[in-house]
Amino acid sequence: MKKILLVNPPIYDFTAYDFWLKPFGILKIGGYLRRSAQVRLFDFMDRKHPALANYLLKEDSWGRGKFLASPAEKPEALSAMPSKYRRFGLSADIFESELENNGPYDFALIQTEMTYWYPGIQEVIECLRRISPSTRIVMGGVYATICPDHARQMGADLCVSGLDLASLWSFLDLEPDLDEPPFWEGYPILSCGVIKLTEGCPFRCTYCSVPQIYKGFEVNDLRYSMNSVELAVKQGAQNLAFYDDSLLFRWEDALGPFLDEIIAGNLQIRFHTPNALNARMISQENARLMERAGFTNYYLGFESSAVEWQGKTGDKVYSEDLARAVEILKSAGADPGKITAYIIIGHPDSSIQDPEGSIRFAGSLGIKVMLSEFSPIPGTPDGDKCSEWIDLSEPLHHNKTYFTNIFLGREETQELKTLCREQNRKIENRGSR
């Protein structure tokens, strides 16, 4: 039986935090192959890995926490950014021990995420070539799809761009079982799992990469989704994060039936929405059901209170939509202190976006604000505008911290972050009274 190693690489960046981060793509592939191959997982970002037992990495009640971090040499392409550059995740020697003690592997499948995290992929491939030269290397995911030409220079034997995995199954010479749930048993300790009930998004926001990856919108099989959740819970997960890009769309086909099953099965799980809910789609019906099923927080995609900016970028959510959604959630029993609006900063049309006014408006609703630094994505209308300030052919320049500070300037960026912290502190103080 062939031996396959699933790898989630370390992260090289200025900041990184475990905001329910799991390599869902390779976990699904590992599940498809569990019956036809010997599958193992090495997740550099696993904060509960046995090798980290003495580091006492703290985790909050929602399953989030800091990654192990160490200083890293800053690439020349990011030299204009004064902040310290770091490597996040398990050390390279732990990975080398995995290869030496449990290898050789026939194949290593590497998950890719942010385009500007490719230094971690380089590290993994170089280590595999040195320690296990017979292992054939495959990479796929977001970076491999958005920057395929750059990704092919990393030295993998196969680079899978897009969602069609036919080339992967042919390369492995294995038949996948697409009914099998994700490979959650790959984690020795699991406190948080992730789920996707749908694929794609009906909107075409000008700053988003989803239309480049998904050509439409589909609802996944409900039984598959329930099996995925049940296996994650069996492995110890108490928190579940939705990775859907439009979780509330086609409610009657996707989230509605799913939550009915959760409630009927009395599954005690804390649900989280890091990819944001569309405030316009929140109704009395779905708000009540989300509360009953165990939604612990509500992250809402807002981005800006400026009508002109919203009109130019996709017509997704306006101020009145956000205000209405907050009132509905509160009336359904949601704690306003656990409702958060995402607001983009560093967008190339910041002059009409009014990020300061947007922060103040969201705060006036009694909810928290989380700033999303803009990451230029080549091939999107807004990302392509950024070629005026950066070299889009260098994925390191897509770094959200780098671009926002280059575009807005360090002083304005810090002022917006300070305003956000002050607004959130007021909400927290109000909730503690």
Side-chain angles (χ1 to χ4, degrees):
M1 189 174 273
K2 294 173 183 176
K3 295 179 65 175
I4 296 177
L5 181 64
L6 314 175
V7 185
N8 188 32
I11 292 173
Y12 284 79
D13 205 338
F14 298 103
T15 61
Y17 185 79
D18 189 0
F19 202 66
W20 303 294
L21 189 66
K22 287 288 186 290
F24 196 48
I26 57 168
L27 290 171
K28 287 183 68 176
I29 289 172
Y32 296 157
L33 298 174
R34 64 161 56 86
R35 298 190 186 280
S36 58
Q38 295 181 39
V39 182
R40 278 180 65 88
L41 169 70
F42 191 91
D43 185 352
F44 277 89
M45 311 314 298
D46 179 12
R47 292 182 300 100
K48 292 183 172 295
H49 191 281
L52 298 180
N54 295 327
Y55 284 90
L56 301 176
L57 295 176
K58 293 182 179 179
E59 179 172 285
D60 66 17
S61 61
W62 291 357
R64 305 172 302 179
K66 292 182 178 180
F67 291 118
L68 184 69
S70 58
E73 182 178 353
K74 189 186 302 180
E76 179 62 29
L78 300 176
S79 60
M81 183 68 195
S83 299
K84 293 180 179 178
Y85 197 62
R86 293 183 172 87
R87 179 192 182 280
F88 298 89
L90 295 168
S91 63
D93 63 317
I94 300 174
F95 183 55
E96 291 177 4
S97 296
E98 166 66 34
L99 298 179
E100 291 168 348
N101 297 334
N102 297 304
Y105 290 96
D106 296 294
F107 300 95
L109 311 185
I110 303 174
Q111 171 101 30
T112 75
E113 293 289 352
M114 303 299 187
T115 58
Y116 50 87
W117 286 350
Y118 74 80
I121 300 165
Q122 283 183 313
E123 177 189 309
V124 170
I125 292 177
E126 289 171 2
C127 186
L128 282 163
R129 294 302 189 205
R130 187 178 70 256
I131 305 292
S132 185
S134 65
T135 299
R136 304 182 75 187
I137 302 171
V138 182
M139 59 186 291
V142 176
Y143 160 64
T145 299
I146 294 176
C147 300
D149 293 338
H150 193 278
R152 291 188 188 104
Q153 299 173 26
M154 293 294 102
D157 297 295
L158 176 67
C159 181
V160 180
S161 297
L163 302 175
D164 186 352
L165 300 181
S167 63
L168 172 63
W169 310 136
S170 176
F171 188 75
L172 300 177
D173 193 23
L174 291 171
E175 190 69 31
D177 184 346
L178 303 182
D179 292 327
E180 284 289 314
F183 190 66
W184 291 120
E185 67 268 33
Y187 287 100
I189 303 173
L190 186 70
S191 66
C192 172
V194 298
I195 186 73
K196 283 189 77 174
L197 304 181
T198 63
E199 308 290 339
C201 181
F203 291 91
R204 293 293 181 267
C205 297
T206 56
Y207 46 81
C208 183
S209 66
V210 171
Q212 290 182 259
I213 300 171
Y214 300 93
K215 303 311 177 186
F217 183 89
E218 294 182 2
V219 176
N220 293 328
D221 180 73
L222 177 60
R223 182 42 46 195
Y224 176 84
S225 297
M226 288 305 303
N227 289 342
S228 301
V229 172
E230 289 165 1
L231 180 56
V233 171
K234 180 181 177 181
Q235 294 299 125
Q238 299 172 316
N239 296 277
L240 198 77
F242 289 101
Y243 273 13
D244 298 69
D245 296 298
S246 191
L247 182 61
L248 298 180
F249 187 61
R250 287 179 55 182
W251 160 267
E252 69 283 357
D253 299 321
L255 185 58
F258 174 80
L259 295 186
D260 286 337
E261 292 273 346
I262 293 293
I263 293 169
N266 196 30
L267 291 176
Q268 302 300 307
I269 311 170
R270 291 185 289 265
F271 288 109
H272 310 280
T273 59
N275 278 21
L277 301 173
N278 187 311
R280 187 181 291 176
M281 295 181 184
I282 291 176
S283 67
Q284 294 285 355
E285 176 194 1
N286 59 36
R288 286 194 295 267
L289 199 58
M290 287 189 287
E291 276 293 296
R292 282 186 61 200
F295 273 56
T296 307
N297 50 57
Y298 299 89
Y299 288 88
L300 307 178
F302 179 46
E303 319 310 353
S304 173
S305 61
V307 172
E308 182 182 359
W309 187 90
Q310 286 286 1
K312 285 186 65 175
T313 59
D315 278 316
K316 187 171 71 173
V317 173
Y318 289 88
S319 297
E320 57 268 28
D321 298 317
L322 181 68
R324 173 181 162 278
V326 169
E327 287 307 309
I328 290 175
L329 288 171
K330 286 163 47 175
S331 68
D335 180 349
K338 293 182 174 61
I339 303 173
T340 303
Y342 283 128
I343 293 177
I344 288 177
I345 61 170
H347 187 276
D349 287 330
S350 288
S351 60
I352 63 170
Q353 184 197 1
D354 188 19
E356 180 178 340
S358 302
I359 293 170
R360 294 189 186 282
F361 174 77
S364 73
L365 301 177
I367 63 175
K368 291 185 176 180
V369 175
M370 179 172 286
L371 301 184
S372 300
E373 294 169 305
F374 180 74
S375 173
I377 301 168
T380 64
D382 294 348
D384 288 344
K385 289 180 184 178
C386 299
S387 60
E388 180 179 342
W389 300 279
I390 61 169
D391 177 9
L392 281 170
S393 67
E394 171 50 77
L396 289 173
H397 282 183
H398 308 164
N399 185 290
K400 61 184 178 62
T401 305
Y402 174 81
F403 181 78
T404 299
N405 279 270
I406 290 295
F407 180 72
L408 284 185
R410 191 168 180 80
E411 183 176 349
E412 184 175 348
T413 301
Q414 292 306 314
E415 287 176 354
L416 290 171
K417 289 183 177 182
T418 298
L419 174 61
C420 182
R421 285 194 293 268
E422 290 173 349
Q423 291 279 110
N424 289 344
R425 197 174 298 118
K426 290 178 183 178
I427 302 302
E428 291 169 357
N429 291 340
R430 192 180 306 164
S432 63
R433 290 173 187 167

